Amino acid sequence: QFPFGRRLPCDIYWHGVSFHDNNIFSGQVNKFPGMMETVRKITLSRAMRTMQDLFPLEYNFYPRSWILPEELPLFVAEVRMMKDSNPSWKPTFIVKPDGGCQGDGIYLIKDPSDIRLTGSIQSRPAVVQEYICKPLLVDKLKFDIRLYVLLKSLEPLEIYIAKDGLSRFCTEPYQEPTLKNLHQVFMHLTNYSLNIHSGNFIHSDSVNTGSKRTFSSILCRLSSRGADVKKLWSDIISLVIKTIIALTPELKVYYQSDIPAGKPGPTCFQILGFDILLMKNLKPVLLEVNANPSMRIEHEQELSPGVFENVPSPVDEEVKVAVIRDTLRLVDPQKKKRKDTHLSFHTYLFIFPTQVQSLHAGFASMKDKQHKHHSLKLSLKLKFYLKLGLCRGLEQAEEAGEEPPEAAPAVEAALPSLCLKQVFPKYAQQFSYLRLVDRVAALFIRFLGVKGTTKLGPTGFRTFIRNCRLSNSNFSMAAVDILYIDITRRWNSMGIDHKESGNPGMCLQAFVEAFFCLAQKKYKSLPLHEQVASLIELCECRLAALRGKRLVWGCG
Ligand code: ADP
């Protein structure tokens, strides 16, 4: 922990909130640039919409969503149309402010006219989403699942899923939404931060009771009722892979901007929290992705009125300790050099204060899984070791102008088998056809020109059209400019928080829209994903030919 700054390079940097340090030239950082922005409610909904346009069946695990205020007229019109065609459809919608968390500002409505169009909706955009009315209930209660996913690398894509997660329960018996119960948050919202304030909240002292349980305990129960748990897991794995495939194009744009290729820089990894709801028929539905999932393994207990104490939470500990431990095992830079499966921390960690708690939790149960009651003591020892041993060692070495100590005392332990299961590239073949927008993003990045930007200027767009030979007598360069201006102006007027909101250029989503437009124009009768795939192939082919020609000219 370096509360006053860091002077030595590290192998692993453990940042508390986001990737924010552009002075890192090697090692690994536990955050991707732009992840926070990419998983915000609006950005996630847009990315999912793009994928739903291309592959509607594959992406039907994400509820139909509209972005407010800009899509309010579309929302009203589509709901009216659906109601007209199916008069028995009595939907409920959930309105969620962008950038909100812990259920903040969320409310349910029965009709589009119930949207609270106060001044705040203009200043605070939101997503309105179809409400899943028939969730799976356990003990008559609604619950959701928090699953931890490790994005170990973006290029090549490497994804791991934790074998166990958390199930977070509501605290009032569930009833399908009616005008009377719409406001009952303890019945409809599963957020821990809300339900903890209900008198019915039960802190679990084991992993299969109370208001927060392990997901594996729910699976056991479902399996004993005869449910096909294997199929459920396989659906969850596809949901996770497909969601990450939807996010990677935007992440790649941020990545090249913060860590330009060819220059020294770190690699990144990140633990994400996936919030998933199970429908009555066991179909998993994605609610949201969290870039900064809480790694707390304690909860507050009120000893006497107004007096609180932090006490260990066995359920959180069971799940989260394994996630952090295995993340460190997977990214351990020494791992490549060793063949044995034991872990030694020959690794210098740069930790922000808020994350120390989580980290020594990880260390704590590493040593001795069976003797859990030792883990707090051990945790304190390791905290001491981390703070006074390793870190002071580094500082002293640095002050003395020496190389850092080669190896801190090793924490050699026979570790339990990995709780993180690799799902990509393991199942890559099954999903590779979905990675079309990734290839569109690769074209976008190629024409961005000056490194360090995330928006394409008009000249870059023209060069893209020219190099791919997409303009012709039916589509003049003047029409190209009009397309650029139209789409770019609309995207920039939406006023979404973007890294370069002052830059008038074309962001990735705007380029994707323009690309889809061009594809539809060129290959009229095909389904959209085939139109887009054909245009990508044409562009890649023409750019490869151009490169070949340039090489020949270069040699000549
Ligand atoms: P927040 O980031 O504020 O927690 P979420 O999107 O996770 O926002 O929503 C909060 C809670 O609302 C979820 O945990 C879930 O219980 C409920 N919820 C969210 N979206 C839906 C939906 N489409 N259908 C049913 N319940 C939902």
Side-chain angles (χ1 to χ4, degrees), residues 202-471:
I202 303 169
H203 282 294
S204 316
D205 46 15
S206 81
V207 291
N208 51 14
T209 57
S211 301
K212 202 196 259 183
R213 310 181 196 175
T214 58
F215 179 45
S216 55
S217 75
I218 304 291
L219 287 176
C220 267
R221 239 169 114 160
L222 293 177
S223 167
S224 68
R225 286 191 212 160
D228 187 349
V229 170
K230 258 195 173 164
K231 157 98 173 51
L232 173 58
W233 254 120
S234 128
D235 289 347
I236 289 178
I237 291 172
S238 330
L239 174 152
V240 168
I241 295 177
K242 287 173 187 170
T243 304
I244 291 192
I245 286 179
L247 299 176
T248 51
E250 188 88 33
L251 283 175
K252 284 183 181 171
V253 173
Y254 278 106
Y255 202 94
Q256 62 78 40
S257 148
D258 275 296
I259 312 173
K263 288 200 182 144
T267 54
C268 303
F269 65 94
Q270 188 152 357
I271 298 171
L272 300 169
F274 273 64
D275 290 350
I276 294 169
L277 188 70
L278 295 184
M279 287 170 57
K280 213 175 189 157
N281 60 6
L282 288 191
K283 182 180 149 62
V285 170
L286 177 72
L287 297 179
E288 74 162 349
V289 181
N290 214 300
N292 239 331
S294 158
M295 285 297 170
R296 273 195 75 166
I297 54 163
E298 294 167 329
H299 64 79
E300 273 186 354
Q301 203 170 45
E302 196 165 13
L303 294 178
S304 52
V307 181
F308 292 90
E309 187 195 43
N310 280 335
V311 294
S313 161
V315 184
D316 288 287
E317 201 168 322
E318 170 84 16
V319 172
K320 295 175 182 175
V321 162
V323 170
I324 299 217
R325 179 196 65 218
D326 289 352
T327 299
L328 288 173
R329 277 163 95 180
L330 286 168
V331 302
D332 176 9
Q334 297 292 320
K335 201 175 144 213
K336 291 183 201 102
K337 297 182 197 158
R338 285 196 313 268
K339 289 231 162 69
D340 64 85
T341 53
H342 290 204
L343 176 73
S344 57
F345 274 84
H346 299 196
T347 301
Y348 307 113
L349 298 163
F350 176 37
I351 316 157
F352 274 79
T354 47
Q355 294 290 306
V356 168
Q357 199 74 11
S358 334
L359 253 173
H360 64 78
F363 285 92
S365 89
M366 226 165 41
K367 178 81 180 166
D368 191 345
K369 180 100 168 108
Q370 287 95 28
H371 304 286
K372 269 225 193 101
H373 56 283
H374 287 333
S375 75
L376 262 178
K377 266 196 211 157
L378 189 69
S379 155
L380 286 174
K381 249 193 198 164
L382 283 161
K383 185 175 176 183
F384 183 73
Y385 158 67
L386 256 178
K387 280 191 162 173
L388 299 181
L390 177 59
C391 300
R392 206 176 62 186
L394 280 173
E395 277 164 7
Q396 282 173 348
E398 190 191 18
E399 271 156 27
E402 295 163 6
E403 282 289 295
E406 177 46 39
V411 183
E412 291 290 348
L415 293 168
S417 62
L418 279 176
C419 83
L420 290 171
K421 178 183 151 72
Q422 197 210 68
V423 294
F424 205 96
K426 188 170 179 198
Y427 302 120
Q429 244 183 352
Q430 248 168 282
F431 296 94
S432 58
Y433 74 101
L434 299 174
R435 302 186 70 186
L436 286 184
V437 187
D438 244 18
R439 288 162 71 192
V440 177
L443 293 170
F444 176 77
I445 290 169
R446 192 179 170 135
F447 289 96
L448 273 180
V450 189
K451 295 277 186 251
T453 170
T454 56
K455 287 188 171 181
L456 188 65
T459 315
F461 190 69
R462 281 177 140 246
T463 314
F464 154 69
I465 298 282
R466 216 176 271 129
N467 287 5
C468 296
R469 292 194 274 127
L470 298 181
S471 103

Side-chain angles (χ1 to χ4, degrees), residues 76-126:
V76 173
E78 288 194 2
V79 171
R80 188 176 306 137
M81 213 171 69
M82 288 186 278
K83 278 187 173 170
D84 286 348
S85 65
N86 179 8
S88 66
W89 187 54
K90 299 269 178 286
T92 303
F93 302 96
I94 182 165
V95 184
K96 316 189 211 180
D98 187 43
C101 61
Q102 307 190 326
D104 172 35
I106 291 182
Y107 59 97
L108 304 186
I109 54 171
K110 280 294 213 183
D111 192 84
S113 62
D114 300 332
I115 283 185
R116 297 176 198 160
L117 267 179
T118 54
S120 70
I121 197 100
Q122 298 297 336
S123 55
R124 199 176 178 194

Side-chain angles (χ1 to χ4, degrees), residues 41 63-65 92-94 96-97 99-106 108 129-135 142-146 168 170 174 185 187-195 275-277 285-290:
K41 293 186 170 61
R64 214 178 330 211
S65 307
T92 303
F93 302 96
I94 182 165
K96 316 189 211 180
C101 61
Q102 307 190 326
D104 172 35
I106 291 182
L108 304 186
Q129 193 171 73
E130 215 175 319
Y131 186 73
I132 308 298
C133 292
K134 292 185 193 301
K142 174 175 171 177
F143 67 97
D144 76 350
I145 309 160
R146 158 60 59 86
R168 299 163 306 181
C170 278
Y174 184 77
V185 287
M187 176 186 290
H188 291 291
L189 307 187
T190 50
N191 299 77
Y192 166 78
S193 48
L194 291 175
N195 283 280
D275 290 350
I276 294 169
L277 188 70
V285 170
L286 177 72
L287 297 179
E288 74 162 349
V289 181
N290 214 300

